[in-house]
Amino acid sequence: MSIQHMVIFNLHAGKDTDEARNFLSSSAEELAGIPGVEQFQVLRQVSVKNDYDYGFSMVFADQAAYDAYNSHPVHTRYVAERWLKEVSRFQEIDFTVMA
């Protein structure tokens, strides 16, 4: 069963800044290339009901693909060197399709 992994977040650099655009584009290049990542999307929040600015969404074929992504060296390096330093707050959510 496939897993849709989503994370919404704010950046220390703020919203719609050059630094934010750089973070979003370089993150997409790094993360979308990890084996098992499907349908990678960079999202911009538009709802007034939510105070997060951006989101990433990706799909994995199954739990094994998701686990491999989480432990992949590109992902672990990205989290340590970019995510923890540039993201001010975030929320993760993972879904499987029920129907």
Side-chain angles (χ1 to χ4, degrees):
M1 180 169 288
S2 68
I3 296 171
Q4 181 159 1
H5 171 66
M6 301 178 78
V7 60
I8 53 176
F9 57 93
N10 290 344
L11 297 170
H12 291 294
K15 186 176 183 179
D16 298 328
T17 63
D18 287 340
E19 293 88 353
R21 284 186 282 281
N22 180 342
F23 176 85
L24 297 170
S25 64
S26 63
S27 294
E29 289 176 21
E30 286 187 68
L31 300 176
I34 297 173
V37 174
E38 302 173 13
Q39 302 174 34
F40 188 92
Q41 295 180 306
V42 177
L43 308 166
R44 185 177 187 278
Q45 174 60 253
V46 295
S47 172
V48 297
K49 297 177 183 178
N50 187 313
D51 61 354
Y52 287 98
D53 296 330
Y54 300 107
F56 293 150
S57 175
M58 61 197 86
V59 174
F60 298 94
D62 53 27
Q63 187 66 49
Y66 182 49
D67 292 344
Y69 163 81
N70 276 320
S71 63
H72 193 280
V74 170
H75 179 256
T76 57
R77 184 185 74 243
Y78 169 84
V79 169
E81 295 177 5
R82 301 286 314 272
W83 187 263
L84 294 177
K85 294 176 182 177
E86 297 182 56
V87 172
S88 60
R89 66 189 202 99
F90 70 96
Q91 176 73 48
E92 285 187 48
I93 191 163
D94 299 313
F95 292 104
T96 58
V97 176
M98 293 182 60

